Amino acid sequence: MHIPQLFVVILLTGLKRSEVVGDCSFNKSQSHCTCSLLDQENMGNLLQCFHAFVFELRGGNLEKYAGFASITVEQSVLNILQTLQVTKIVFGDLLVPEVLLAAVMKFIYYMRITELKFESCTFLGNASWFHMDRLILPVSSLRFHNVTSASLTDRDKDFAHLSGWLETLQNLTVTQSQVTYIPCSIGKVFRTLRYLDVSENHLQDQSMRPSFCQGAFPQLQVLKLHRNNLSSFHTMCEMLHQLEKLVHLDLSQNGLLAIPPSSCQWQPSLRILNLSTTGLDHITLPLPPNVEILDVSSNNLHALDLALPFLKKLHLSNNRLHAVPSAKNFPALEVLSLDGNLISRLPRDELQSLRHLQNLRAGQNLYNCSCLSASEIQALASTESLMPDWPQDYTCESPSHYQGTLVKNVPASVLQCNKAIVIIPVTVLFVLSCLAGIICFARRARPRPLLGAAKL
Ligand SMILES: *[C@@H]1O[C@H](CO)[C@@H](O)[C@H](O)[C@H]1NC(C)=O
Ligand SMILES: *[C@@H]1O[C@H](CO)[C@@H](O)[C@H](O)[C@H]1NC(C)=O
Ligand SMILES: *[C@@H]1O[C@H](CO)[C@@H](O)[C@H](O)[C@H]1NC(C)=O
Ligand SMILES: *[C@@H]1O[C@H](CO)[C@@H](O)[C@H](O)[C@H]1NC(C)=O
Ligand SMILES: *[C@@H]1O[C@H](CO)[C@@H](O)[C@H](O)[C@H]1NC(C)=O
Ligand SMILES: *[C@@H]1O[C@H](CO)[C@@H](O)[C@H](O)[C@H]1NC(C)=O
Ligand SMILES: *[C@@H]1O[C@H](CO)[C@@H](O)[C@H](O)[C@H]1NC(C)=O
């Protein structure tokens, strides 16, 4: 048996060569090998995958291999596993009996796999994980996307055998998998977890409470909860308050419309807060005092009246703002997005007072192209690479004869804008020059009689 074949054989938990069927393709530049399980026997092209760093197995039903989970593997085979350089395995579109999964995990102990990902998989039945006791796997990143399994309730004992490994896990993603809550006891197992993404599930305010009980996820830095069924900003603040190391919180795409007034203070560690698409129509709540990136885009905000001294990136796209928020409230701002609002002018002096501003996105607004406002925007846009969406997204709304015209094309030279100011000095000059002419004429005229007199 060839080593690469053995490799896949092992991945499929000790299947005999003749029973493994599939078709593989190897992407050299990505060092990525994808094998799909097919009905014909064709493992010839597997050889090319031997040097892959990423191995992907897609499409099929592994039920018929469930029996192989109990096969014992010789030490020599385990030695070979240790030489393989694959660091990531992806299982996609598969029906996987849990006993087979448990067996695969046992082999991963001998490999260098740091990332394990399951997408669109269905786990069948249940397995006892007792043989995993105290085994610490090299996998630090575990991802599930669109997976289904038998109910995990009352399986605490089975999964307790995995705690040796789960205690060392750093990244966990469980998305689009109909998760309704994470039991408190499980949250406490993840003692070193830094990154948790449970977006696009069925989490609700109350059902989620036990998930963040005292002592759960003590090292968590990133928490993504977008597109769940969360409704209260206040409850989130209270519930997540014990996560003392939290840096990045994503609550976007939840309906946080009804906010009771809150006195809950966010932890000072929080630097990135995403409240995009949450139905907010005003923000009166305490925001994290040290927040550096705030995304409140795609809401119904009419104004933003807050001072956030450390804020570097402020995303306000797609709201209902009529004016640019006051620059003095955000002295550290580097990135500002205001596109898709109802703003009619960009106050140049104010925006230029933001000394660190590098990126201003303000297209898709209702610009007033009266001479002065248009020239103000044009002057701002002349700042090197400040406005990446200039000029194509900047059109005039008023006055009516400029509606739909690009702001860039509005004639707004200083001379034209300042007609009133220009006319006055010209008139004065004219009058003065006339006066001067009269005086000169008078001066020149005066001696004439003298000359005339001389002639005379
Ligand atoms: C390898 O993957 C990259 C990125 O996904 C892709 O651009 C490239 O075309 C692939 N090469 C082959 C030979 O499939
Ligand atoms: C989710 O997984 C199921 C199989 O379990 C599959 O039929 C479906 O197409 C997947 N959905 C998405 C959006 O990938
Ligand atoms: C596992 O499944 C078997 C039958 O499939 C069932 O009898 C047993 O109660 C299940 N065990 C657990 C812990 O769910
Ligand atoms: C965890 O996820 C983050 C963000 O996706 C990534 O930057 C980091 O490298 C991951 N860590 C591990 C150990 O996989
Ligand atoms: C969201 O939560 C509310 C109660 O807070 C419930 O009535 C509703 O059915 C939930 N929606 C979904 C899609 O789970
Ligand atoms: C906030 O969330 C939205 C939608 O979930 C996403 O498109 C956006 O990139 C996020 N913003 C930041 C700053 O990460
Ligand atoms: C546009 O700006 C000019 C000059 O500042 C002002 O007189 C005019 O009322 C504004 N028009 C609209 C529609 O706001």
Side-chain angles (χ1 to χ4, degrees):
M1 188 185 282
H2 295 294
I3 290 169
Q5 286 164 339
L6 191 64
F7 165 45
V8 167
V9 167
I10 293 304
L11 287 179
L12 296 177
T13 67
L15 308 189
K16 289 194 202 89
R17 180 190 163 196
S18 62
E19 273 143 326
V20 180
V21 288
D23 186 29
C24 302
S25 69
F26 182 52
N27 185 324
K28 212 168 186 173
S29 66
Q30 305 271 307
S31 194
H32 186 133
C33 181
T34 306
C35 294
S36 51
L37 291 170
L38 299 171
D39 287 332
Q40 86 256 17
E41 205 167 313
N42 171 24
M43 292 303 278
N45 56 5
L46 177 65
L47 204 66
Q48 58 188 336
C49 293
F50 186 51
H51 297 292
F53 286 112
V54 183
F55 183 83
E56 193 168 332
L57 186 66
R58 302 201 76 91
N61 184 345
L62 301 180
E63 255 180 312
K64 58 187 167 200
Y65 305 124
F68 292 96
S70 54
I71 285 175
T72 51
V73 174
E74 293 159 28
Q75 184 59 42
S76 60
V77 173
L78 299 182
N79 291 346
I80 293 164
L81 277 185
Q82 280 164 343
T83 67
L84 294 172
Q85 52 190 350
V86 62
T87 57
K88 174 175 173 179
I89 302 187
V90 181
F91 295 94
D93 301 309
L94 291 167
L95 284 172
V96 190
E98 201 179 296
V99 283
L100 199 58
L101 179 65
V104 171
M105 297 298 265
K106 195 168 57 183
F107 292 116
I108 284 171
Y109 176 72
Y110 299 95
M111 302 173 74
R112 298 178 203 171
I113 313 288
T114 56
E115 186 176 347
L116 204 53
K117 181 173 176 184
F118 299 87
E119 30 179 57
S120 301
C121 289
T122 304
F123 300 110
L124 304 165
N126 58 35
S128 169
W129 292 79
F130 72 92
H131 61 269
M132 294 288 289
D133 228 2
R134 295 201 191 87
L135 226 52
I136 297 176
L137 301 182
V139 176
S140 57
S141 194
L142 180 60
R143 297 162 71 182
F144 299 92
H145 177 75
N146 181 29
V147 299
T148 46
S149 74
S151 168
L152 299 183
T153 39
D154 305 323
R155 300 272 316 268
D156 294 23
K157 269 205 199 108
D158 291 349
F159 291 117
H161 298 294
L162 289 170
S163 62
W165 163 47
L166 298 181
E167 277 174 12
T168 67
L169 203 66
Q170 303 222 334
N171 283 11
L172 176 64
T173 298
V174 188
T175 47
Q176 258 183 46
S177 299
Q178 299 172 20
V179 176
T180 52
Y181 82 115
I182 304 162
C184 171
S185 56
I186 299 225
K188 285 180 178 171
V189 170
F190 291 102
R191 282 201 277 171
T192 55
L193 199 73
R194 284 156 193 240
Y195 177 100
L196 175 63
D197 185 352
V198 278
S199 303
E200 302 178 49
N201 284 298
H202 295 326
L203 298 172
Q204 294 186 20
D205 294 16
Q206 293 312 318
S207 66
M208 212 176 90
R209 242 175 222 285
S211 312
F212 295 93
C213 61
Q214 199 63 42
F217 306 108
Q219 297 292 325
L220 202 62
Q221 294 179 357
V222 181
L223 176 58
K224 300 204 173 189
L225 292 166
H226 65 255
R227 212 187 294 175
N228 272 283
N229 195 6
L230 307 173
S231 60
S232 164
F233 193 68
H234 175 74
T235 310
M236 290 304 121
C237 178
E238 282 188 320
M239 193 165 63
L240 303 176
H241 197 256
Q242 55 97 9
L243 300 172
E244 286 173 6
K245 306 218 163 141
L246 195 64
V247 173
H248 182 164
L249 175 63
D250 182 356
L251 293 171
S252 63
Q253 302 184 57
N254 283 287
L256 297 177
L257 190 59
I259 306 160
S262 174
S263 56
C264 172
Q265 296 291 321
W266 289 94
Q267 46 274 61
S269 58
L270 207 50
R271 297 278 193 278
I272 307 173
L273 181 61
N274 196 338
L275 296 172
S276 166
T277 327
T278 50
L280 293 173
D281 52 9
H282 61 293
I283 298 184
T284 53
L285 8 100
L287 287 175
N290 300 325
V291 68
E292 289 175 6
I293 303 179
L294 177 64
D295 190 342
V296 284
S297 59
S298 303
N299 284 300
N300 298 315
L301 299 174
H302 293 264
L304 190 72
D305 204 8
L306 305 161
L308 295 166
F310 304 108
L311 199 64
K312 292 183 177 158
K313 299 186 181 178
L314 176 57
H315 299 283
L316 280 163
S317 313
N318 305 316
N319 276 287
R320 330 200 112 258
L321 303 178
H322 286 269
V324 174
S326 176
K328 66 178 189 305
N329 288 340
F330 314 106
L333 218 53
E334 293 168 6
V335 173
L336 175 60
S337 5
L338 294 165
D339 45 313
N341 279 284
L342 311 171
I343 294 169
S344 60
R345 65 173 283 250
L346 293 180
R348 181 181 170 197
D349 290 346
E350 177 129 12
L351 287 165
Q352 284 182 338
S353 74
L354 293 168
R355 283 183 301 121
H356 306 284
L357 193 66
Q358 291 159 11
N359 187 310
L360 172 66
R361 204 171 266 280
Q364 320 281 2
N365 274 294
L366 307 179
Y367 287 113
N368 178 343
C369 289
S370 74
C371 208
L372 281 172
S373 334
S375 70
E376 207 173 20
I377 301 172
Q378 289 168 2
L380 206 56
S382 68
T383 312
E384 181 77 30
S385 72
L386 176 66
M387 290 153 71
D389 54 349
W390 174 267
Q392 71 280 4
D393 288 348
Y394 292 74
T395 50
C396 305
E397 177 67 18
S398 65
S400 53
H401 58 278
Y402 280 136
Q403 196 171 28
T405 308
L406 284 184
V407 178
K408 174 177 176 269
N409 296 336
V410 172
S413 66
V414 177
L415 210 69
Q416 283 163 312
C417 287
N418 297 353
K419 265 178 200 150
I421 303 167
V422 173
I423 284 167
I424 296 165
V426 166
T427 318
V428 170
L429 213 71
F430 179 74
V431 170
L432 282 177
S433 59
C434 281
L435 281 174
I438 291 164
I439 291 164
C440 293
F441 179 75
R443 272 198 185 151
R444 261 186 268 136
R446 213 176 290 144
R448 263 182 210 156
L450 288 175
L451 283 170
K455 272 182 190 171
L456 282 171

